[in-house]
Amino acid sequence: EPKSFSSGRVEYWKQILEKNKLYLFGNGYLGDRFLINHNASNIIFYTFASGGLLGLILLVVIILRCVFTCFDLMFIKKINLKKKNIILISSIFYLAFLTFRGIGENSYAIFSIDQIIFLQSFTIVEIYRNMILRKYETK
């Protein structure tokens, strides 16, 4: 579609919604290829095609947890932009980047370097937040 802003992705998403008969459990790994013989180009639609509503709910919970944790660290706990926090700040940046990238790509829904970076960054952010919470509890 030369005039389409979405490069035809919206049409793929509609096809996934129409063709997915296994809406509860999905069609398994690469379910988008099974349904429409093309890449879903969206983490939400890919997860729905592959993991169904159960997989989609799990993904949304993970994304919401990620957003909450990063927001809490950046704006509530107000971590300092110091050299000692560079790994944490980088991890927050990676999480934000990969999550927003999921709008136009499958990103970390498929086992890839994106998924490894996402899980590693998510783990770092969770560990750091738990350390801060323990520090507040002891005061």
Side-chain angles (χ1 to χ4, degrees):
E1 296 178 43
K3 295 181 181 181
S4 172
F5 178 73
S6 69
S7 302
R9 289 182 169 120
V10 175
E11 188 58 38
Y12 296 146
W13 303 339
K14 289 178 187 176
Q15 289 176 15
I16 287 173
L17 292 175
E18 291 169 0
K19 292 182 178 183
N20 191 5
K21 303 299 180 214
L22 301 173
Y23 58 89
L24 190 57
F25 296 108
N27 298 285
Y29 186 68
L30 297 177
D32 56 345
R33 304 286 174 138
F34 174 75
L35 290 173
I36 62 172
N37 201 25
H38 202 278
N39 185 343
S41 296
N42 181 289
I43 196 168
I44 299 294
F45 288 97
Y46 173 80
T47 303
F48 178 66
S50 298
L53 286 175
L54 294 177
L56 185 58
I57 290 169
L58 180 61
L59 177 73
V60 169
V61 167
I62 290 170
I63 290 173
L64 290 176
R65 175 63 187 188
C66 179
V67 168
F68 167 76
T69 303
C70 291
F71 184 84
D72 182 50
L73 286 172
M74 293 297 292
F75 300 109
I76 307 293
K77 305 291 188 283
K78 296 185 181 178
I79 59 168
N80 296 324
L81 297 174
K82 293 183 179 177
K83 191 174 182 180
K84 70 176 186 170
N85 292 332
I86 193 71
I87 293 175
L88 175 64
I89 293 166
S90 297
S91 296
I92 291 170
F93 171 77
Y94 293 143
L95 290 172
F97 173 76
L98 291 172
T99 300
F100 284 116
R101 184 172 178 232
I103 295 169
E105 294 295 331
N106 293 349
S107 191
Y108 53 87
I110 298 177
F111 184 74
S112 64
I113 190 69
D114 283 359
Q115 188 180 64
I116 293 168
I117 292 170
F118 179 84
L119 293 174
Q120 182 180 14
S121 297
F122 190 60
T123 302
I124 289 168
V125 168
E126 285 290 334
I127 288 171
Y128 192 90
R129 185 171 179 273
N130 286 335
M131 285 175 22
I132 289 175
L133 289 176
R134 275 191 249 121
K135 190 187 304 184
Y136 283 132
E137 288 175 358
T138 58
K139 287 185 178 182

